[in-house]
Amino acid sequence: MTERCHGDTRPPTGPRARTAIVLATAALLAATGAAFLPSTASAGTTLGASAAEKGRYFGTAVAASRLSDNAYTTILNREFNMVTAENEMKMNATEPQQGRFSYGAAEQIVNHARSRGMSVRGHTLAWHSQQPGWMESMSGSALRQAMLNHVTQVATHFRGQVVAWDVVNEAFADGGSGGRRDSNLQRTGNDWIEAAFRAADAADPNAKLCYNDYNTDNWTHAKTQGVYNMVRDFKARGVPIDCVGFQSHFNNNSPYVSNYRTTLSSFAALGVDVQITELDIQGAPANTYRSVVEDCMAVPRCNGITVWGIRDSDSWLASQTPLLFNSNGSKKAAYDAVLAALNNGSAVPTTAPPTSAPPTSVPPTSAPPTSVPPTTTPPPGGGCTATLQDSTRWGDRFNSQVTVSGASNWSVVVAVTPPQKVSATWNGSPSWDSSGNVMTMRSNGSGNVFGFTTMANGNWTRPQVLSCTAS
Ligand code: G2I
């Protein structure tokens, strides 16, 4: 069994080393019981901030071609802290000719996201659809080799930049069989999926590796059960799988059903994270969006939700108006329902840091976050004061909150200690120095309290406020 730290950018270690860390953490959890934070309502004002306050993410699919649209990027940068490339990391985009890789459009998205403190989900390494022409006509061991080489090359290229990969997408058949979908990849042998996971594991040991599919939301469906049995088998045999993605394209033919929560929690009970990866709902009924978010928030291992586009006009199903923003960029009723459900939801369990990497400067979680005194920027003269307060801590990361006083337009410089990395921010506009360790956060009209998530990467030193400048 292997497991990865969400957003972990440490250099790869051997699978066995990771196993030891996870077993130690699991043993600790089992001994102490999962420590749930009280489900008090929080008051995030954006989707990403509200999700991050609960230890989760809220993401969207992004098309590189839309990054030049100012209305689009304004919403993207304000609301989301996870990004999936809608098409740019698919096999036909990244290896258009065999052995010749092309990453330009994908990198545009990755750079846009990561330079603003958002994380990236990779979609997708192996799929029967959107294959490049040269691959579509291949079969047998040549195809198997080409697929594995693709997985290895692409996962290696993005190592450290992608927190989770949809390693294999949509490999199960629709209908009542519960079996695999016929495809050129499937015809290379039933073990093609686990081979892809092992190749991805070798290429990027720290990324979370997911199986992703659609119409797997209804617990009673044969397809859902087929995927469940595969994941159970993988966990039993030590195939390196960390997460299952539920696309959750809901429409009149494939509606949301109330056993969705059972589906999420049943998969999570197998020892994988679950993520909602491509959410859209025909007509965007607020109640259905609320139910979906509540279901995720009720499952501790449901660690993030991604909607498949920002505005209705960005959707692959634009005529169904299935998203959270109108085509003019205004928030829909479904947006308010989602934000409220995030703010009312439970935080994921807190866990002690892995025992193999003890905290260096902060005592373990037996001391509640609020008992640590806040630090205030010492140097006066900038025209404002910034006070950093510890917030929630998880096994691999922690949140900090900074309160600014003395100015309504400000910029605050914060430093983290390598190998720490900031993986998400909210209520401000961040920029970074070339080391990636020093973040300048500017006010963006969201008030005078901003926050950020730091991946500890083994170092639990509290981030430092270096300056506060009124502007
Ligand atoms: O079909 C919805 C999603 C189902 N799950 C897997 C996802 O990867 C898939 O995304 C969609 C994209 O949203 C579409 O944008 O995948 C489609 C292709 O399977 C994407 O459509 C393609 C068109 O078919 C192409 O003609 C077009 O060139 O988008 C391309 C880029 O705009």
Side-chain angles (χ1 to χ4, degrees):
M1 181 185 71
T2 62
E3 190 149 344
R4 293 156 185 78
C5 296
H6 172 80
D8 196 333
T9 51
R10 285 173 301 174
T13 54
R16 261 180 281 273
R18 283 194 320 263
T19 304
I21 292 170
V22 173
L23 291 179
T25 310
L28 202 62
L29 260 180
T32 56
F36 285 88
L37 293 178
S39 58
T40 47
S42 48
T45 55
T46 64
L47 303 170
S50 299
E53 287 180 21
K54 300 294 165 67
R56 310 178 205 246
Y57 65 80
F58 205 98
T60 181
V62 164
S65 60
R66 295 185 200 272
L67 289 175
S68 53
D69 175 344
N70 198 45
Y72 179 84
T73 53
T74 298
I75 304 174
L76 168 63
N77 300 348
R78 186 187 68 216
E79 295 288 342
F80 298 96
N81 57 9
M82 179 71 78
V83 156
T84 306
E86 187 173 359
N87 289 296
E88 294 77 353
M89 288 191 187
K90 292 174 180 174
M91 300 177 102
N92 58 355
T94 50
E95 195 179 356
Q97 292 162 295
Q98 187 167 17
R100 301 189 56 175
F101 291 84
S102 151
Y103 296 116
E107 282 173 348
Q108 240 187 297
I109 294 175
V110 170
N111 294 339
H112 183 99
R114 284 173 47 82
S115 65
R116 289 166 177 80
M118 308 174 200
S119 298
V120 177
R121 288 191 90 261
H123 175 79
T124 173
L125 293 172
W127 190 18
H128 69 275
S129 181
Q130 282 185 277
Q131 293 180 0
W134 61 265
M135 187 181 275
E136 279 174 337
S137 55
M138 285 179 98
S139 63
S141 58
L143 172 60
R144 172 68 70 94
Q145 266 321 107
M147 180 275 287
L148 292 176
N149 182 54
H150 180 88
V151 170
T152 300
Q153 297 297 325
V154 178
T156 300
H157 181 83
F158 288 107
R159 181 163 59 200
Q161 303 186 61
V162 164
V163 295
W165 270 109
D166 292 333
V167 177
V168 170
N169 193 40
E170 301 178 1
F172 276 72
D174 295 313
S177 78
R180 297 284 181 86
R181 170 196 299 279
D182 179 49
S183 73
N184 60 349
L185 291 169
Q186 181 62 29
R187 289 191 291 270
T188 69
N190 206 48
D191 62 344
W192 76 274
I193 297 181
E194 60 196 84
F197 274 84
R198 292 189 200 283
D201 184 41
D204 188 349
N206 291 323
K208 294 223 177 199
L209 304 182
C210 306
Y211 176 78
N212 191 53
D213 214 328
Y214 66 90
N215 278 353
T216 48
D217 316 293
N218 188 327
W219 181 238
T220 66
H221 278 178
K223 186 171 177 183
T224 309
Q225 293 300 314
V227 175
Y228 177 85
N229 288 332
M230 177 187 76
V231 175
R232 187 172 55 183
D233 171 57
F234 279 11
K235 294 300 287 184
R237 290 191 296 111
V239 177
I241 185 169
D242 301 305
C243 37
V244 175
F246 297 83
Q247 293 185 11
S248 303
H249 295 290
F250 291 118
N251 54 53
N252 298 340
N253 295 325
S254 176
Y256 166 82
V257 286
S258 59
N259 68 30
Y260 185 56
R261 190 179 298 195
T262 302
T263 304
L264 298 178
S265 60
S266 300
F267 275 84
L270 293 175
V272 287
D273 288 342
V274 292
Q275 305 177 340
I276 300 172
T277 52
E278 303 183 14
L279 179 63
D280 48 24
I281 311 178
Q282 183 168 13
N287 283 340
T288 314
Y289 262 107
R290 177 184 300 110
S291 298
V292 169
V293 175
E294 286 174 350
D295 289 342
C296 177
M297 301 299 278
V299 177
R301 291 198 75 153
C302 183
N303 57 354
I305 300 173
T306 295
V307 286
W308 205 239
I310 298 179
R311 302 162 301 189
D312 284 334
S313 49
D314 304 318
S315 170
W316 67 302
L317 298 170
S319 65
Q320 290 190 9
T321 61
L323 295 175
L324 301 178
F325 294 87
N326 285 309
S327 299
N328 67 10
S330 59
K331 296 170 181 172
K332 296 164 66 173
Y335 173 95
D336 297 328
V338 166
L339 187 66
L342 292 170
N343 281 330
N344 289 330
S346 306
V348 298
T350 54
T351 57
T355 50
S356 62
T360 49
S361 62
V362 185
T365 50
S366 54
T370 47
S371 69
V372 184
T375 53
T376 304
T377 45
C384 54
T385 307
T387 304
L388 185 144
Q389 180 105 38
D390 297 341
S391 167
T392 313
R393 180 196 287 201
W394 294 275
D396 56 352
R397 63 200 191 282
F398 57 92
N399 283 357
S400 307
Q401 182 169 293
V402 178
T403 305
V404 182
S405 59
S408 52
N409 289 319
W410 39 262
S411 69
V412 175
V413 180
V414 179
V416 299
T417 308
Q420 293 176 340
K421 284 272 177 257
V422 173
S423 63
T425 69
W426 52 97
N427 296 348
S429 300
S431 57
W432 309 84
D433 77 341
S434 56
S435 72
N437 303 319
V438 179
M439 171 176 77
T440 301
M441 184 70 97
R442 291 192 172 72
S443 51
N444 69 350
S446 305
N448 67 340
V449 180
F450 71 85
F452 57 99
T453 303
T454 304
M455 301 307 305
N457 293 330
N459 187 316
W460 296 86
T461 308
R462 171 193 274 184
Q464 263 196 304
V465 174
L466 301 182
S467 66
C468 184
T469 309
S471 48

